[in-house]
Amino acid sequence: MPIFWLSCGLIVILLLHVFAKVNTMLSLMFAAFLVAFLNGMSPDKALASITTGFGNTLGSLGIIVAFGAVIGKLMTDSGASYVFARKVIDLCGVKYIRLAVVIIGLVYGIAMYYEVAFLMLAPIVLAIASEAKIPWLKLVIPAVCATTVSHSLLPPQPGPVSVIAAFHAEPGRVWVTAIPLVILWVVIGGYVWPALMKNGDEELPNALTNPPVTGGEARPSFLLSLLVPLTPPLLMISVTTIKLWLKETNPLYPWVDFVGSPVIAMGIAMLLAMTCFGLKRARRGTWVTNRFNDAIATVANIVMIIGAGGGLTQVAIDSGISDYIHLFLTHHNVSPYLTAWGLTVIFRITTGQGVVSAVAVSGMMSAAVIDPATRLHLMPIHPVLLVLATLVGSNFMTHINDVSFWLFTEYFKLPIRTSLKIWGGMLSFGSLVGLAYIMILSFFWGSPAPVGV
């Protein structure tokens, strides 16, 4: 019954969000209480479960979302994002202009809160398309695909960080394994899918042909504009490499692990952004503080949504759904990777939130496949592949209950049907290819995964 009641809660979320236009956070909170009461929880236990899940989820994710938003805001207002984009375009030239916008999209997706990355990327791409006389969708699709995929699959963005923590995976290993998948997805979604659609000849919206605001005179160098947003992944990959040669008994081990954690890596990148994009460019501390405050204000809603998703997850776990998942996996010989992907797809389609889907399913799956007391695997799994399966599922499809869907549709002034075909198809096609990539790796890596985590 817990699975049935959870399904009822997901349907309620869809109805409230799509038809009643209720805020996503409120929809999630209402569904969490509904699922709790339907499962027979007392009011005090339901409240305790939801608040625990809310707080635990935002323990580190809230910090990461905030730091990422600040980095993106400082890059935007200092002109660093424009400097980076302009240099990449100059280096690639007109012949490789698609590659240029893909590189820009990948870096923006890693460095910024998604909506910030999108709003920075879109006018740059449109300006390039207008000047190069290229149908704009031929550039927009690969650029948006690169931004979306890098944001969804690579730490230190909140979705990947949440799933990595749930499955006790190594961030650096996730990065190394995810890079080929990101490249594959961009090729499939950004190049193959547009070729299959026969789109790209739509007129350029008149209101969108102006180049982006470039952010003042004292712009940072290209090297700084590239180094600051890539600081977190460079730190995480470096730490993973160092830990291969460093014994856990070494006094330096906990400090190395500390520096490579997503929160600290993002904090270091934020301090670099404040220094390199603000104070070192002859800007006062008040300029940096104002950008910090503005950035935090822009992500307040998404932080609350993520927390509410965590509350729903905890209710599902406390109601025993993880036990049902464990029994299902052990008695039906179903791949845990396929199960994680499928569950996340259902959550993604229902809630419209990729991060919430990743948070919810990783929490339930973790309780089903990992003993919380001993942190040992209850079945043969590889945590990195389980992370990627969940993240790939959270990026499946987008439709009318997704805020980003409307951002894409309204910004480019596209019909809803066209947006569903372009963006929804791009994500769905790529997600299926990503699942195939994970299943192939699972054969090569072998079924008996590490016993302890």
Side-chain angles (χ1 to χ4, degrees):
M1 288 304 286
I3 292 179
F4 176 75
W5 295 133
L6 179 62
S7 302
C8 292
L10 294 178
I11 293 171
V12 167
I13 292 171
L14 186 63
L15 294 174
L16 288 174
H17 189 60
V18 175
F19 298 105
K21 307 301 180 186
V22 177
N23 177 273
T24 305
M25 176 206 168
L26 295 178
S27 300
L28 286 164
M29 293 293 288
F30 182 84
F33 276 108
L34 178 64
V35 172
F37 294 144
L38 289 174
N39 276 293
M41 287 189 186
S42 62
D44 58 334
K45 187 177 179 181
L47 182 60
S49 183
I50 291 170
T51 53
T52 298
F54 195 103
N56 289 345
T57 301
L58 291 184
S60 59
L61 282 190
I63 300 172
I64 290 169
V65 172
F67 285 1
V70 173
I71 293 170
K73 182 66 173 173
L74 289 168
M75 285 187 66
T76 302
D77 288 4
S78 68
S81 55
Y82 181 79
V83 168
F84 169 75
R86 186 71 262 170
K87 185 67 173 180
V88 170
I89 293 164
D90 291 342
L91 290 173
C92 293
V94 177
K95 184 178 180 181
Y96 300 104
I97 202 69
R98 278 205 205 182
L99 177 61
V101 297
V102 164
I103 293 172
I104 296 167
L106 288 172
V107 174
Y108 282 10
I110 293 168
M112 304 180 190
Y113 176 60
Y114 183 76
E115 276 72 10
V116 176
F118 179 91
L119 292 172
M120 277 302 305
L121 179 72
I124 291 174
V125 174
L126 290 173
I128 295 169
S130 179
E131 188 167 337
K133 310 301 182 192
I134 298 173
W136 61 279
L137 272 179
K138 292 185 184 299
L139 292 185
V140 164
I141 295 174
V144 172
C145 181
T147 305
T148 305
V149 173
S150 63
H151 185 89
S152 303
L153 299 185
L154 300 175
Q157 290 300 339
V161 168
S162 169
V163 182
I164 287 168
F167 295 128
H168 308 292
E170 184 72 45
R173 290 185 182 179
V174 172
W175 246 95
V176 172
T177 312
I179 287 174
L181 175 55
V182 169
I183 295 171
L184 178 63
W185 200 326
V186 170
V187 171
I188 293 293
Y191 291 84
V192 177
W193 182 249
L196 295 175
M197 285 191 316
K198 299 180 181 178
N199 270 106
D201 297 322
E202 286 82 353
E203 286 186 28
L204 189 67
N206 293 329
L208 304 176
T209 55
N210 295 326
V213 177
T214 58
E217 315 86 1
R219 296 176 195 153
S221 67
F222 168 71
L223 185 60
L224 282 176
S225 302
L226 175 64
L227 179 62
V228 170
L230 290 183
T231 296
L234 289 175
L235 282 173
M236 286 186 284
I237 294 173
S238 300
V239 164
T240 297
T241 305
I242 293 170
K243 285 167 68 177
L244 293 175
W245 307 99
L246 201 64
K247 294 182 179 180
E248 291 190 29
T249 54
N250 192 306
L252 292 176
Y253 190 93
W255 288 103
V256 170
D257 203 33
F258 173 78
V259 171
S261 66
V263 171
I264 300 304
M266 282 293 278
I268 292 171
M270 185 186 69
L271 292 176
L272 282 174
M274 288 177 167
T275 303
C276 299
F277 300 154
L279 302 178
K280 289 292 185 181
R281 311 238 70 80
R283 294 186 173 99
R284 295 178 180 274
T286 52
W287 185 90
V288 175
T289 300
N290 289 338
R291 269 66 196 170
F292 185 96
N293 293 339
D294 291 344
I296 298 301
T298 61
V299 296
N301 185 52
I302 191 63
V303 168
M304 293 297 101
I305 290 172
I306 293 171
L312 176 60
T313 303
Q314 191 62 46
V315 166
I317 293 172
D318 291 346
S319 65
I321 195 169
S322 296
D323 296 331
Y324 277 82
I325 295 173
H326 179 74
L327 290 173
F328 175 77
L329 291 174
T330 53
H331 285 77
H332 295 84
N333 197 28
V334 178
S335 166
Y337 311 123
L338 184 60
T339 303
W341 179 84
L343 286 173
T344 318
V345 166
I346 294 171
F347 267 81
R348 163 71 176 184
I349 292 173
T350 307
T351 66
Q353 296 288 329
V355 177
V356 170
S357 305
V359 169
V361 174
S362 62
M364 289 183 285
M365 282 295 297
S366 175
V369 301
I370 298 175
D371 188 327
T374 62
R375 294 179 63 184
L376 296 177
H377 297 162
L378 299 175
M379 60 184 63
I381 60 166
H382 197 296
V384 171
L385 294 185
L386 206 52
V387 166
L388 292 182
T390 305
L391 294 175
V392 165
S394 73
N395 219 23
F396 183 91
M397 190 57 179
T398 179
H399 63 101
I400 57 176
N401 68 338
D402 183 358
V403 175
S404 299
F405 173 84
W406 291 110
L407 178 64
F408 182 87
T409 302
E410 295 301 322
Y411 192 99
F412 295 119
K413 296 180 170 38
L414 293 171
I416 292 176
R417 188 181 68 164
T418 303
S419 284
L420 286 171
K421 182 170 66 171
I422 292 173
W423 200 9
M426 173 187 76
L427 293 179
S428 301
F429 192 18
S431 182
L432 290 170
V433 171
L435 177 63
Y437 169 84
I438 292 160
M439 298 307 293
I440 291 170
L441 280 185
S442 70
F443 287 112
F444 283 103
W445 288 10
S447 60
V451 178
V453 290

